Amino acid sequence: MKATAKAHTNIALIKYWGKRDQALILPTNNSLSLTLDGFYTTTTVDFHDALTQDVFMLNGQAVTGEAYQRVTKFLDLIRNLSGKTDLYANIGSINEVPTAAGFASSASGFAALAAAGAKAIGLNLSDPELSRLTRQGSGSACRSIYGGFAEWEMGEKEDGTDSYAVPIAPREYWDIRVAAVVLSSTMKKVSSRAGMKRTVETSPFYSGWIDSIPNDLNGIKVGIQEKDFEKVGAISEANCLKMHATTLGANPPFTYWHDTTLRVMHTVQEMRANGIPAYFTIDAGPNVKVLYLPEDEARVEETLRNIAGVTDVRLSKAGPGITYL
Ligand code: 2P0
C-alpha cells in the first residue's frame, strides 16, 4: 500500500484571499493560477499494519508539532474516504520549494500528499475528486492537480462538494515564463492563513476586492484564449495589487512587502516603459514573481539580478499536473 506522487507549485494570477468556511477551506472567490515546473514536492505514502501512528519525514527530518498535525489530520480524510480508518503511514516528502517565503510550498506539498495518499490506500479518484480532497489540506493546492492554467471554482454548496479546480489550458498551450525573485529567506510574520482571515474580518476594502473579481476573471480568461500576454499580465498585476491593498485596511494593518519588494515592482514597471513586456505578482510574502515571454528571458533575468537586495532569481516554465512515480 505504497505510492509516490510529484506535484508542482502554482502561482495565482487571480488570487485566493479569504475563506467562507475555515474548516472545509471554502473560498470567498474563484482564483486562477499557472502551475510552475521549477518548484515541486515529491511524496511517498506507505500505509502499514504495523504502525500505531503516522510518521512524517520532510527532507529527511522528522516533523512534529503543528505541521505534523496538519498532515495527519489530512490523512484522516483519506482514511475516512477509504473506510480503512485503522491504518497509519510512513510519509516521506522532498520539497524543492523554499518554504514560507512567499512560495506556496503548501500547494505542491498537499497536492503530492493527497495524490500519493489516495493512491496508496486504493482510492481511485478522478481529477475533480482529487482536487476537492486536496483543497481540504490547503486551498491553493487544489489548483496544482493540473498543469498549465487552472481555475478553482469556489462553489456554492455548504458542504464544499462543488468547490474544486478545473483545467483551463495545458502547459503546452502557451510558453509563458515566470521569474521567482528571491529577496529574503526570513520567515514571514503573518501566515497566509492568518492574514486572509484578519483581512476578511476587519478590512473595509475587502468588499471592493470581492466585487472586482468577476471582471478580472473574465478578462484573464479572454486573455489566455487570445494569447494576449499584455492583457494577462496587466490583469494579474492589478489583481495582486488589489489583494495586497486589502491588508493595509485590516486591523491591525499589515503588509507582506519589504523595501526590496517595492524596488522590484518599480523595476518591472520600468522594464515595461523600456519596451519589455513583464508583469509582477506577489503572494503572502516579500518575494516577487515576474511574468515574461521566452524571447525576453535574458534581459529580464539580468535586470532582476542587478537589483540591490535580490539574492536569487529562479526561472520557471509552465509545469505539469500530478504525476505518479
Ligand atoms: C493564492 N495565496 O491564490 C493566494 C494568494 C497567497 C496569496 O493561497 O489556508 O496556503 O492553506 O488554504 O492556500 C496561500 O494560502 O492557504 C494562498 P490555506 P494557502 O495562491
Side-chain angles (χ1 to χ4, degrees):
M1 301 189 74
K2 180 175 172 180
T4 300
K6 182 174 176 184
H8 290 73
T9 192
N10 69 77
I11 175 76
L13 306 181
I14 305 298
K15 306 292 188 191
Y16 148 52
W17 194 241
K19 295 180 181 70
R20 65 182 200 272
D21 185 311
Q22 312 291 324
L24 288 173
I25 309 195
L26 297 177
T28 47
N29 62 272
N30 287 24
S31 53
L32 188 145
S33 62
L34 179 64
T35 298
L36 303 181
D37 76 342
F39 309 106
Y40 53 89
T41 304
T42 309
T43 297
T44 299
V45 177
D46 189 2
F47 285 100
H48 246 289
D49 283 336
L51 291 170
T52 53
Q53 58 173 28
D54 296 319
V55 178
F56 176 36
M57 306 285 287
L58 177 59
N59 298 331
Q61 302 235 336
V63 176
T64 55
E66 205 179 314
Y68 171 80
Q69 292 303 332
R70 239 179 115 176
V71 164
T72 194
K73 224 179 107 199
F74 185 74
L75 279 192
D76 287 343
L77 296 175
I78 292 177
R79 283 185 273 261
N80 288 338
L81 269 179
S82 71
K84 296 169 188 157
T85 50
D86 52 352
L87 274 180
Y88 295 96
N90 277 314
I91 306 128
S93 272
I94 303 292
N95 221 355
E96 297 290 339
V97 186
T99 303
F103 292 90
S105 63
S106 68
S108 55
F110 276 97
L113 178 66
K119 186 146 197 245
I121 213 160
L123 289 169
N124 194 8
L125 301 182
S126 66
D127 283 348
E129 286 167 341
L130 181 58
S131 177
R132 187 165 58 203
L133 169 66
T134 304
R135 186 202 79 226
Q136 295 171 74
S138 184
S140 54
C142 79
R143 301 182 305 237
S144 276
I145 302 308
Y146 307 98
F149 294 97
E151 180 178 5
W152 175 10
E153 296 182 339
M154 62 181 282
E156 290 172 353
K157 294 185 182 166
E158 266 176 47
D159 66 2
T161 46
D162 58 353
S163 186
Y164 50 80
V166 297
I168 295 292
R171 68 195 291 222
E172 302 79 21
Y173 171 75
W174 193 7
D175 188 5
I176 283 191
R177 306 278 171 94
V178 176
V181 186
V182 184
L183 312 185
S184 141
S185 57
T186 54
M187 302 285 275
K188 57 198 183 200
K189 290 196 187 84
V190 184
S191 72
S192 50
R193 196 165 274 196
M196 66 174 83
K197 185 164 187 285
R198 190 193 301 174
T199 305
V200 173
E201 287 169 357
T202 66
S203 179
F205 306 156
Y206 196 72
S207 58
W209 157 254
I210 291 297
D211 291 346
S212 78
I213 296 288
N215 241 338
D216 285 0
L217 262 176
N218 289 338
I220 203 164
K221 284 198 249 184
V222 171
I224 292 168
Q225 202 168 19
E226 295 174 347
K227 296 191 181 171
D228 182 340
F229 182 70
E230 276 79 8
K231 187 173 187 128
V232 168
I235 292 171
S236 300
E237 190 172 298
N239 185 268
C240 152
L241 289 169
K242 279 185 286 193
M243 179 204 118
H244 286 269
T246 66
T247 71
L248 298 177
N251 183 14
F254 64 105
T255 181
Y256 291 107
W257 298 351
H258 291 184
D259 49 357
T260 313
T261 311
L262 279 164
R263 227 168 8 245
V264 177
M265 292 158 72
H266 288 150
T267 304
V268 170
Q269 290 175 339
E270 247 168 50
M271 276 197 265
R272 282 211 298 278
N274 293 326
I276 302 174
Y279 297 84
F280 64 76
T281 186
I282 304 163
D283 285 333
N287 297 332
V288 183
K289 286 84 176 179
V290 180
L291 305 170
Y292 63 92
L293 291 170
E295 57 265 32
D296 299 315
E297 184 154 279
R299 281 175 76 192
V300 168
E301 183 181 11
E302 196 200 343
T303 307
L304 295 173
R305 281 195 186 278
N306 283 329
I307 301 169
V310 168
T311 57
D312 197 9
V313 176
R314 305 261 305 259
L315 307 180
S316 199
K317 297 181 184 180
I322 293 285
T323 52
Y324 296 92
L325 307 176

